[in-house]
Amino acid sequence: MGDETSRPAVALTSQQAADLLGVSRPTVKRWIERGELPAELVGKRFHRLRLDDVLRYREARRQRQYEALAATAVEIDAGDDPEAVLAQLRAVRRTLARPGRPAGPAGSFPASGDAAESRSAP
């Protein structure tokens, strides 16, 4: 009765996943193509995503965002030199804007079930 493993997986379209994640459909498609978000190809053009996978990805993405915010926090006191504070903020901005910076665990997103096997190749 209360066994979650016996429930059928809820399938979402890429648009429904985008709405749930708060991003555009092309962004979801890009994540699928990169292998960051597991999906099954239905026919030749359409993807179906498991609700569990989308919710897990959303949580991992939120965690990465919180970690990025914490990493970019700059302590500012009223007596600090404004130019020094600006230099600190610029350094953080440059670090985040570097194209080769580590993106966090996106590539190591844990997929569940058969969706991992049917992921689109990046």
Side-chain angles (χ1 to χ4, degrees), residues 11 20 25 27 48 51 56 68 78 97 108 110 112 115 118 122:
L20 187 61
R25 186 175 157 277
T27 297
R48 292 290 178 263
L51 176 61
R56 196 171 11 269
S108 60
S112 67
S118 61

Side-chain angles (χ1 to χ4, degrees), residues 25-37:
R25 186 175 157 277
T27 297
V28 169
K29 293 291 213 177
R30 192 169 39 253
W31 289 341
I32 292 169
E33 290 169 6
R34 290 180 187 164
E36 295 176 20
L37 186 58

Side-chain angles (χ1 to χ4, degrees), residues 48-118:
R48 292 290 178 263
L49 298 92
R50 292 176 47 159
L51 176 61
D52 293 344
D53 290 335
V54 172
L55 293 176
R56 196 171 11 269
Y57 184 83
R58 182 178 69 175
E59 186 58 34
R61 185 169 175 258
R62 279 186 182 159
Q63 189 61 39
R64 287 191 307 272
Q65 289 172 332
Y66 293 146
E67 289 169 2
L69 284 172
T72 60
V74 175
E75 292 290 326
I76 301 173
D77 291 326
D80 287 347
D81 176 29
E83 291 301 318
V85 171
L86 279 175
Q88 281 182 303
L89 293 172
R90 285 185 185 120
V92 168
R93 182 190 238 167
R94 274 193 304 273
T95 301
L96 292 176
R98 273 196 327 241
R101 77 177 193 269
S108 60
F109 174 70
S112 67
D114 298 331
E117 296 170 10
S118 61

